[in-house]
Amino acid sequence: MLQYTRSVIFIIQMYVAMPIIGLGFAPWAMFSRKGAYAACKTYSRYVFWTARWMVGIRCEVRGTPPEGEALIAAKHQSFLDIMMIFTALPAAKFIMKKEILMTPIIGQYAKRLNCVAVDRGKRGAAIEKMVADVNAGRTEPGQLIIYSQGTRVAPGAKMPYKVGTGVLYEQLGQPCVPVATNVGVLWPKRGMLRKPGVAVVEFLPAIEPGMERAEFMDILESSVEGTSDALMAEAGFKQVTDG
């Protein structure tokens, strides 16, 4: 009960801080993309700091985040991995569902960071538009983050990897850096309880451009899922097996 109460207080103050920091940085962010990055990274670091002493979650980044242009294909389990991956990269922008653009504060900053909005309900047209929007935004170099399963996936749940990641890998001709995580064990997809422990995102060795799409997707999925399973076990998660 004590941990649950701490979790509720943590979540409330986290969302109260969002408009305060967002509006505080707004004059700078309106005229400079650096201001938008500074605002988002300041907020994320504030959340990491409060998570540590309020609910006992320590955030840890492993591996080597890329400095240059790259496609980042990540496992997505909760809001926490978004902040951790974003903060670890110098110039990150996301492939994201278009509804997020309508969210107060977050939507405005997503636009300033040149995030790419996708209509998930129109698969073929969405992929075509996504590629066009990504190519249009390539004048602003950076690291493009895509969640290959398309949504948050709870620990232990299985969901296929979508073809959009493979299409972007072919189109961009950039290294793809897989990212594994265990954050959903401590900060779940749904619910208020936050569990103490070490939340990890791990940047894995890059997959160089030039592979056939099917081979690329197989390597991506096996590396991300295998490492995520190991990280979740490290955090105390026990996989449920049939039989």
Side-chain angles (χ1 to χ4, degrees):
M1 181 59 71
L2 179 58
Q3 185 68 20
Y4 187 86
T5 302
R6 288 174 174 170
S7 299
V8 171
I9 295 170
F10 165 72
I11 292 168
I12 292 171
Q13 64 84 34
M14 181 184 84
Y15 285 109
V16 168
M18 183 181 292
I20 295 172
I21 293 174
L23 293 173
F25 276 86
W28 184 17
M30 286 173 60
F31 298 102
S32 170
R33 190 162 285 110
K34 288 183 179 179
Y37 276 109
C40 295
K41 292 192 175 187
T42 296
Y43 175 72
S44 296
R45 291 180 179 121
Y46 170 80
V47 173
F48 304 156
W49 175 66
T50 54
R52 183 164 189 164
W53 64 267
M54 292 185 75
V55 293
I57 295 177
R58 182 167 64 85
C59 298
E60 181 178 310
V61 175
R62 298 179 186 174
T64 305
E67 295 287 329
E69 287 190 290
L71 177 65
I72 309 297
K75 183 82 171 174
H76 185 24
Q77 293 184 334
S78 76
F79 185 42
L80 182 57
D81 60 65
I82 294 176
M83 294 183 286
M84 291 177 68
I85 294 169
F86 179 83
T87 305
L89 295 167
K93 51 187 174 181
F94 289 89
I95 302 285
M96 56 194 286
K97 60 183 181 181
K98 69 177 184 179
E99 291 82 2
I100 293 176
L101 295 180
M102 305 303 294
T103 305
I105 307 297
I106 293 176
Q108 284 66 46
Y109 274 93
K111 292 176 185 177
R112 286 297 292 137
L113 298 175
N114 279 345
C115 292
V116 178
V118 174
D119 185 349
R120 295 192 302 185
K122 301 177 180 178
R123 181 179 176 185
I127 291 174
E128 185 177 335
K129 184 177 185 301
M130 176 180 69
V131 171
D133 289 347
V134 167
N135 286 328
R138 291 185 74 180
T139 53
E140 295 288 343
Q143 300 81 42
L144 181 66
I145 304 165
I146 184 168
Y147 289 112
S148 299
Q149 292 168 294
T151 189
R152 293 172 297 171
V153 180
K158 301 298 180 184
M159 187 168 289
Y161 278 53
K162 298 188 175 183
V163 70
T165 305
V167 173
L168 284 177
Y169 169 77
E170 291 178 337
Q171 293 285 328
L172 294 174
Q174 297 173 353
C176 175
V177 179
V179 180
T181 190
N182 68 358
V183 302
V185 177
L186 311 175
W187 184 313
K189 178 179 177 179
R190 294 187 178 89
M192 303 289 282
L193 181 63
R194 303 292 182 260
K195 300 176 183 177
V198 181
V200 179
V201 295
E202 183 168 349
F203 289 82
L204 305 174
I207 304 171
E208 295 301 324
M211 285 187 179
E212 293 293 329
R213 186 188 300 178
E215 181 185 9
F216 162 74
M217 293 298 294
D218 285 344
I219 292 172
L220 173 66
E221 182 171 354
S222 63
S223 62
V224 171
E225 292 301 306
T227 305
S228 293
D229 286 347
L231 291 174
M232 289 188 291
E234 180 183 313
F237 179 74
K238 291 181 173 57
Q239 295 278 1
V240 177
T241 58
D242 293 336

